[in-house]
Amino acid sequence: MQIQLPKNLIFAQNDVLLTDSQAVAKVFSKQHKHVLRDIDAIMDKVPEFACAHFWAYEEKKKIGACWRNVRSYRMTKDGFMLLVMGYNTDQAMQIKVAYIKEFNRMQSMLNNLNTSIMTKLLAALEAEKQSFATASLAGKILRKRQTEKPINQAKITSYIQQLQPLLNNFEVLGD
């Protein structure tokens, strides 16, 4: 039996894939307060690990006719795996496998996206470097030309002026 997870149970935040306690409660058919209890127990037993893989947050939710702040946790794949290790029914096992496959699928997509963007960025940086080098060289050549042109023009004018009297005295021999 293959479990199909609802969409958006796993999401990316700053290139980290996460799920949250409300999604876990829903998918495993548990009350959210029991999932919170399990996460709190993990926080007490292994706080260094837990702090790296679970982040508490609150959001306003309408419960009945009232709005209340509801505490939840976002968690990484490792946090999720630690949390659900104790969920032992056959269906829980299928859900865990489906979650792990989805985490891995999304991580692969994220890695490919990042690799593709990084490759494009490096190509763009190299193109800009080449363009700058070409423009820099062109600028140097243009400055050299601007410096040399009046000197060359002055020499040409001087040589023409020196040649002109000689050419005037030169006789063309005809038939």
Side-chain angles (χ1 to χ4, degrees):
M1 172 173 128
Q2 174 119 0
I3 298 286
Q4 188 68 18
L5 296 176
K7 297 221 181 281
N8 302 326
L9 289 182
I10 300 171
F11 53 93
Q13 186 174 24
N14 299 327
D15 290 342
V16 177
L17 292 176
L18 304 171
T19 190
D20 69 28
S21 56
Q22 292 181 43
V24 170
K26 181 178 180 181
V27 170
F28 283 91
S29 301
K30 293 192 169 284
Q31 290 184 19
H32 188 242
K33 68 182 180 181
H34 293 148
V35 173
L36 292 177
R37 176 200 62 207
D38 296 343
I39 295 172
D40 290 338
I42 292 169
M43 299 290 267
D44 289 340
K45 290 176 186 172
V46 285
E48 299 83 23
F49 179 89
C51 287
H53 298 283
F54 294 94
W55 298 276
Y57 70 97
E58 282 191 356
E59 64 182 346
K60 283 195 177 281
K61 284 199 147 193
K62 190 170 186 176
I63 300 174
C66 301
W67 287 91
R68 296 178 52 193
N69 285 336
V70 175
R71 179 175 66 106
S72 298
Y73 283 95
R74 288 191 176 97
M75 67 194 84
T76 64
K77 177 183 178 184
D78 291 346
F80 165 80
M81 291 173 69
L82 184 61
L83 172 64
V84 301
M85 274 183 192
Y87 301 171
N88 294 320
T89 66
D90 288 342
Q91 184 174 5
M93 187 61 68
Q94 295 300 318
I95 293 169
K96 289 189 275 189
V97 168
Y99 246 105
I100 291 167
K101 285 181 179 179
E102 183 63 8
F103 264 113
N104 291 340
R105 184 190 70 77
M106 288 183 67
Q107 188 64 57
S108 177
M109 286 176 50
L110 195 58
N111 291 346
N112 290 340
L113 176 66
N114 288 343
T115 300
S116 173
I117 291 171
M118 185 60 74
T119 301
K120 289 175 183 176
L121 171 62
L122 291 174
L125 288 170
E126 183 60 28
E128 176 56 20
K129 180 179 166 186
Q130 292 297 324
S131 176
F132 177 80
T134 301
S136 180
L137 180 60
K140 289 176 185 174
I141 292 170
L142 185 58
R143 279 192 301 283
K144 182 178 179 189
R145 167 78 175 123
Q146 289 171 337
T147 302
E148 291 174 350
K149 181 180 178 180
I151 295 168
N152 291 338
Q153 294 271 340
K155 285 180 183 178
I156 291 168
T157 302
S158 171
Y159 295 145
I160 289 174
Q161 287 173 349
Q162 290 175 32
L163 277 175
Q164 198 61 45
L166 296 173
L167 291 176
N168 289 341
N169 291 334
F170 185 73
E171 233 179 79
V172 177
L173 296 173
D175 314 82

